[in-house]
Amino acid sequence: MNKQVPGRKLFILYSVILILMAISMRSTNNMVVTTVPLYSKYILDFSYIGTALVTAIIYLGTVLATLFINPLMGSVLRKRMFIVANFVLTALMISYYFSGDISVFIISFVIGLAYGIILPNIVTSATLYPDKTGRERLLAIYSVGLSFSLVFGPSLETYLLTIISYRTLFLFFAPLGLIGIFTSFFMEFPENKKETHGTFIRKNKGFISSILTITTYNVPFAALTVFLAIFAQTRFHVSSYMAYLPFVFFFAVSMFTRIYISIRPFKNLRHPLIFAPAITVFALILFPFLPDYTAFVAVMMLLGIPHGSIFPVSTVEISRGSSIEERNAVNSYYYAYNMSLFMVIPLIFAAIIPYIGFEKTFALLILPVVISIIIIYIKYWKDNDLLGVPKINTQV
């Protein structure tokens, strides 16, 4: 991406590259983290704990990469590792087809490392866009690309599950990695000699507010990612095709939410921070009372609204609350925290299920949502630079 390209052309170039990368990365990433549990449960005959463990291994790899690799890489090494990670990702998608009880853990760990290098660096590249207004709009457009991927991927997977097994599914998604390989050569990570790598940035208000914000949604979503289709088959006795279908509706609502945000970006972040967690809490309360599969799909569509809005809000908080020098480290730690949630929450969820069942366990996830929004209110609600309408020409 050449910064000599003026104004609109530069913005369009950034947008196209980010959307292509989002399609490749998020389609394959969602396929892996939602299908590996099903593959483990129904093909390899793992228990609920075993299913959660193999998924946790993916996120363990991602956490290690985002904590100990990304924050320490300079511009040139970051670009090289980014390209290599995309090659590795595509190869490992094929490797899943040949995996067994032991090798599935090894493949999952390495693919987690690859995602740990790819994910935060995409956002870091986007947040280095020179214009502040364009940067926040670009983040919203990137979020739309992610959401489109999360509609496209599950839709393709839902169709494929009518004709192939979970094992063969990985082979059909591997070619999407080729888009990432091609696009990775065009991603840029400008050298910043003043870039901060120290751990003190974890006290940064942009970082703290963003992880509190993402907690309001990613705690329940971490459980849903692993157990949604299993819950649907267990509770409503539907086929594998029907069990996976709610993901399509869920991500479709999320996508339209992000399209709206990209057209009309949030200026005052307090509004989505009120409504999105409220919707999440309401939907989780409904889980113990779901009468049938149709009601379940409706609740998943409702949850698509906070899914579509919370991630863009948290990335804007990072953009507003951190300097360019801190941006790479903040994004790396931010993703490390997210992946930690996806590693730990399913394990806790799996341990509780045998005692109180799926429905009540989902309802318990309300607690961290409420606690997080209370902390945001106490610490940051009056911070206009972070959550209010930002001043024109504010330097970040």
Side-chain angles (χ1 to χ4, degrees), residues 48 82 174 205 225 230 309 350 367:
Y48 284 133
F82 188 81
K205 69 177 182 179
T225 298
I230 296 173
S309 55
L367 291 175

Side-chain angles (χ1 to χ4, degrees), residues 8-245:
R8 182 175 295 180
K9 290 183 178 180
L10 175 63
F11 184 83
I12 292 173
L13 187 59
Y14 265 79
S15 299
V16 171
I17 291 172
L18 284 172
I19 288 173
L20 287 174
M21 182 56 71
I23 291 172
S24 172
M25 179 275 300
R26 199 64 180 101
S27 294
T28 58
N29 174 256
N30 184 71
M31 183 271 172
V32 168
V33 298
T34 58
T35 306
V36 166
L38 297 170
Y39 174 68
S40 302
K41 176 68 176 173
Y42 296 113
I43 302 298
L44 301 179
D45 295 321
F46 284 9
S47 65
Y48 284 133
I49 291 293
T51 299
L53 274 173
V54 74
T55 309
I57 288 293
I58 299 174
Y59 294 113
L60 175 61
T62 304
V63 168
L64 293 177
T66 51
L67 279 179
F68 302 112
I69 299 177
N70 273 327
L72 303 179
M73 288 194 297
S75 173
V76 176
L77 181 58
R78 187 178 303 150
K79 176 70 175 282
R80 291 173 181 171
M81 290 294 290
F82 188 81
I83 293 171
V84 170
N86 275 277
F87 274 100
V88 170
L89 174 64
T90 304
L92 291 176
M93 291 289 293
I94 299 172
S95 299
Y96 268 119
Y97 176 80
F98 303 98
S99 65
D101 291 356
I102 304 300
S103 58
V104 70
F105 284 94
I106 299 171
I107 295 169
S108 295
F109 177 72
V110 179
I111 206 168
L113 287 173
Y115 280 124
I117 292 170
I118 296 170
L119 284 163
N121 279 314
I122 297 174
V123 178
T124 296
S125 182
T127 57
L128 294 177
Y129 187 79
D131 174 66
K132 183 178 187 301
T133 301
R135 183 162 61 243
E136 293 191 4
R137 189 177 293 275
L138 195 66
L139 288 170
I141 290 173
Y142 172 59
S143 296
V144 172
L146 293 180
S147 285
F148 171 78
S149 306
L150 292 173
V151 173
F152 168 73
S155 297
L156 176 61
E157 182 160 353
T158 301
Y159 167 72
L160 290 174
L161 283 173
T162 63
I163 55 177
I164 61 176
S165 69
Y166 290 124
R167 182 184 292 274
T168 312
L169 202 59
F170 293 101
L171 297 180
F172 281 81
F173 271 78
L176 288 173
L178 298 176
I179 299 175
I181 292 174
F182 172 78
T183 310
S184 66
F185 288 94
F186 296 92
M187 297 289 290
E188 285 194 2
F189 308 97
E191 187 66 58
N192 188 345
K193 295 181 179 179
K194 296 181 180 180
E195 189 171 278
T196 301
H197 302 297
T199 57
F200 73 89
I201 60 93
R202 284 177 285 183
K203 297 179 181 179
N204 175 277
K205 69 177 182 179
F207 173 71
I208 300 298
S209 63
S210 69
I211 65 170
L212 288 168
T213 297
I214 205 69
T215 298
T216 67
Y217 195 77
N218 267 0
V219 167
F221 186 53
L224 288 168
T225 298
V226 177
F227 289 107
L228 181 143
I230 296 173
F231 168 70
Q233 290 192 50
T234 303
R235 171 72 183 272
F236 304 110
H237 307 291
V238 295
S239 65
S240 59
Y241 159 81
M242 293 294 288
Y244 202 85
L245 187 60

Side-chain angles (χ1 to χ4, degrees), residues 322-341:
S322 63
S323 67
I324 290 176
E325 291 78 15
E326 296 170 322
R327 203 66 51 74
N328 175 56
V330 170
N331 280 321
S332 294
Y333 291 128
Y334 168 78
Y335 272 99
Y337 174 77
N338 274 295
M339 297 306 102
S340 296
L341 289 180

